[in-house]
């Protein structure tokens, strides 16, 4: 299976690089539309339809009318899915409440036996190696309240690991819960990060709200693929003095031109930090914009969906290793990671999958 997928990947890249063209002089009736640049491809196909006999065009009009009816039915489907999501979220709250209490150590659950299949034992050599590598965990006291480093461990088993810098770890050890909040006034969902009292910032929780495009664009109804994230809003973090993890202070020596005396000034720079997640660019996603800020927004939207649909609902399974994400390793003979124009334009908004929900920004601010 691996060799087959590798062959398909290479074949696809080879054919795109060889056949894709934006030169209108190269377009003929024998050219496969898939290899034509997006805008020309649309005009090529529309002209092809206009060239067909009226009887065939009439059939295509009927089919497009049926497709449009299906699109409006699909929108209603997503409304029903949303209503089910709201109900499911309510039923999950008791589990989330108990999970947080266990992590914080405010509830000591009774000893119990697994109702699931226990993983097979490790290969002996691997077991010895891992136990030595993880010897530090033997220092956790037997009567420890709660689960130390729960969310950090979860993050380190996911794509979130790349966001965490060394200076972030002490602050993230105070993270006790991540919750999702839903409402009905605005099409959005809010991720809320709950922290125990700490010496890094005064906030009890930090929030990030993602806004959705729910309706059908009447100018281009056939582009509807379900609700999509269009923009997001973070929150201000009230850092304790000299504890801001998103900035760093550097010394800079200045020499006076006249007398040659030196003096030192201090300049503040933006630092890489997990907590930059709460300070996104304040802009809406535009279909025709591929600036660095928009690329960052697209990545941010994917992380939000990942947190909302996978990490938050199944956090314990990431902690225990029952869910391990696939490693994406570049093949040695892979030629390029660059995207074609068509691939870029298919990523205008982050798609809203079945488990997406709607939240009310105002409701989270009062919690």
């Amino acid at each position: 299976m691996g060799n087959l997928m590798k062959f398909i990947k290479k074949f696809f890249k080879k054919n795109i690089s060889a056949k894709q063209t934006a030169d209108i002089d190269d377009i003929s009736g024998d050219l496969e539309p898939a290899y034509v640049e997006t805008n020309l491809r649309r005009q090529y196909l529309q002209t092809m339809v206009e060239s067909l006999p009226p009887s065939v065009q009439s059939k295509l009009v009927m089919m497009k009318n049926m497709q449009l009816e299906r699109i409006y039915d699909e929108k209603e489907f997503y409304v029903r899915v949303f209503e089910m999501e709201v109900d499911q979220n309510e039923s999950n709250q008791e589990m989330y409440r108990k999970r947080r209490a266990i992590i914080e150590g405010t509830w000591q659950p009774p000893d119990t036996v697994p109702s699931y299949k226990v993983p097979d034992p490790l290969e002996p050599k691997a077991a010895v190696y891992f136990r030595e590598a993880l010897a530090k965990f033997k220092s956790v006291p037997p009567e420890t309240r709660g689960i130390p480093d729960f969310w950090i461990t979860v993050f380190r088993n996911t794509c979130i690991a790349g966001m965490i810098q060394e200076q972030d770890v002490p602050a993230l050890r105070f993270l006790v819960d991540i919750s999702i909040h839903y409402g009905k006034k605005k099409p959005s969902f809010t991720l809320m990060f709950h922290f125990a009292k700490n010496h890094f910032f005064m906030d009890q929780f930090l929030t990030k709200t993602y806004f959705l495009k729910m309706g059908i664009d009447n100018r281009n109804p056939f582009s509807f693929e379900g609700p999509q994230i269009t923009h997001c809003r973070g929150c201000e973090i009230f850092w304790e003095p000299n504890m801001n993890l998103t900035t760093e202070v550097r010394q800079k020596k200045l020499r006076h031109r006249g007398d040659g005396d030196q003096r030192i000034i201090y300049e503040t720079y933006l630092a890489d930090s997990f907590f930059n997640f709460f300070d996104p660019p304040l802009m809406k996603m535009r279909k025709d914009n591929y600036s660095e800020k928009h690329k960052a927004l697209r990545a941010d939207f994917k992380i939000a969906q990942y947190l909302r649909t996978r990490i938050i609902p199944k956090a314990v399974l990431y902690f225990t290793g029952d869910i391990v994400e696939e490693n994406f390793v570049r093949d040695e003979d892979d030629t390029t990671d660059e995207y074609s124009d068509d691939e870029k334009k298919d990523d205008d908004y982050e798609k809203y999958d079945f488990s997406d929900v709607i939240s009310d920004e105002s409701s989270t601010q009062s919690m």
Side-chain angles (χ1 to χ4, degrees):
M1 184 65 179
N3 290 334
L4 174 62
M5 294 306 297
K6 189 174 181 180
F7 169 78
I8 292 174
K9 181 179 178 182
K10 282 188 173 182
F11 179 82
F12 183 71
K13 285 188 175 182
K14 179 179 178 181
N15 278 272
I16 282 187
S17 61
K19 296 185 178 181
Q20 186 173 19
T21 175
D23 189 348
I24 196 168
D25 295 331
D26 294 334
I27 296 177
S28 68
D30 297 328
L31 184 68
E32 298 172 57
Y35 303 116
V36 181
E37 188 270 331
T38 306
N39 290 329
L40 284 177
R41 187 193 316 165
R42 182 179 295 109
Q43 297 173 39
Y44 174 84
L45 292 172
Q46 290 172 348
T47 305
M48 178 195 71
V49 171
E50 291 173 359
S51 303
L52 294 170
S55 60
V56 177
Q57 293 187 40
S58 178
K59 295 181 179 70
L60 291 170
V61 169
M62 173 58 73
M63 291 171 63
K64 288 181 68 174
N65 285 341
M66 292 189 298
Q67 189 70 48
L68 186 60
E69 292 178 3
R70 177 66 187 89
I71 286 173
Y72 281 96
D73 289 342
E74 186 178 354
K75 178 187 175 184
E76 295 304 314
F77 164 77
Y78 280 108
V79 171
R80 293 195 297 272
V81 169
F82 161 67
E83 294 171 349
M84 294 174 62
E85 288 285 351
V86 172
D87 293 340
Q88 184 63 40
N89 177 67
E90 291 300 320
S91 65
N92 287 343
Q93 291 309 305
E94 180 65 12
M95 184 199 77
Y96 290 154
R97 184 186 65 79
K98 290 181 178 180
R99 182 177 73 180
R100 175 174 177 173
I102 292 172
I103 293 171
E104 284 187 291
T106 57
W107 177 47
Q108 182 65 32
D111 293 337
T112 185
V113 296
S115 56
Y116 50 85
K117 184 182 182 299
V118 177
D120 295 330
L122 289 173
E123 190 275 328
K125 290 184 179 179
V128 171
Y129 177 82
F130 288 153
R131 290 191 183 101
E132 291 177 352
L134 299 171
K136 65 177 181 179
F137 289 97
K138 292 183 178 179
S139 62
V140 177
E143 301 302 322
T144 296
R145 298 184 66 83
I147 303 179
D149 292 350
F150 179 84
W151 285 104
I152 292 180
T153 303
V154 170
F155 287 169
R156 284 173 170 168
N157 185 25
T158 69
C159 66
I160 307 298
M163 299 169 58
I164 300 174
Q165 308 300 315
E166 184 178 353
Q167 75 269 17
D168 298 325
V169 173
L172 287 174
R173 288 202 163 105
F174 291 96
L175 179 61
V176 295
D177 194 25
I178 312 175
S179 58
I180 314 165
H181 295 275
Y182 316 108
K184 296 180 180 179
K185 292 183 179 180
K186 293 183 179 181
S188 61
F189 65 87
T190 297
L191 304 177
M192 182 176 288
F193 293 68
H194 303 255
F195 287 85
K197 185 176 178 59
N198 62 83
H199 57 282
F200 289 93
F201 42 79
M202 295 176 276
D203 311 84
Q204 293 183 351
F205 54 81
L206 305 176
T207 61
K208 186 83 168 286
T209 300
Y210 292 83
F211 298 91
L212 306 172
K213 177 183 177 182
M214 296 289 295
I216 296 175
D217 185 353
N218 292 326
R219 295 170 300 178
N220 187 16
F222 297 115
S223 66
F224 180 76
E225 295 182 357
Q228 300 167 331
I229 298 176
T230 60
H231 61 293
C232 60
R233 180 181 300 162
C235 67
E236 183 178 1
I237 302 177
F238 295 94
W239 297 97
E240 296 287 359
N242 302 318
M243 299 303 293
N244 190 338
L245 300 174
T246 65
T247 60
E248 61 176 313
V249 178
R250 302 175 189 171
Q251 290 186 4
K252 186 175 182 180
K253 293 182 179 180
L254 294 181
R255 184 184 297 275
H256 193 277
R257 291 183 178 178
D259 54 23
D261 289 344
Q262 287 188 350
R263 64 188 181 96
I264 296 177
I265 64 171
Y266 297 89
E267 294 184 342
T268 301
Y269 297 85
L270 182 66
D272 290 336
S273 171
F274 170 84
F275 292 94
N276 289 325
F277 178 71
F278 300 99
D279 186 25
L282 296 178
M283 62 173 64
K284 287 190 176 183
M285 184 64 67
R286 293 179 57 90
K287 293 184 178 182
D288 56 349
N289 194 318
Y290 296 98
S291 65
E292 290 303 315
K293 286 186 176 181
H294 278 71
K295 289 179 182 178
L297 275 181
R298 289 186 179 90
D300 185 289
F301 295 169
K302 292 180 184 297
I303 290 168
Q305 296 285 48
Y306 190 54
L307 280 164
R308 187 188 56 75
T309 62
R310 296 182 61 82
I311 296 179
I312 296 174
K314 301 178 180 180
V316 66
L317 302 182
Y318 285 96
F319 185 92
T320 60
D322 290 274
I323 296 179
V324 178
E325 299 294 342
E326 179 182 358
N327 291 328
F328 295 96
V329 181
R330 183 195 298 272
D331 294 333
E332 291 183 2
D333 55 353
D334 197 3
T335 56
T336 178
D337 279 343
E338 293 181 358
Y339 294 101
S340 69
D341 290 341
D342 292 351
E343 288 173 310
K344 288 179 181 178
K345 292 178 182 179
D346 286 339
D347 193 25
D348 295 330
Y349 301 107
E350 175 60 21
K351 298 299 184 295
Y352 178 100
D353 62 28
F354 272 26
S355 53
D356 279 334
V357 290
I358 299 175
S359 76
D360 179 15
E361 182 186 16
S362 61
S363 67
T364 62
Q365 300 303 321
S366 61
M367 294 181 182

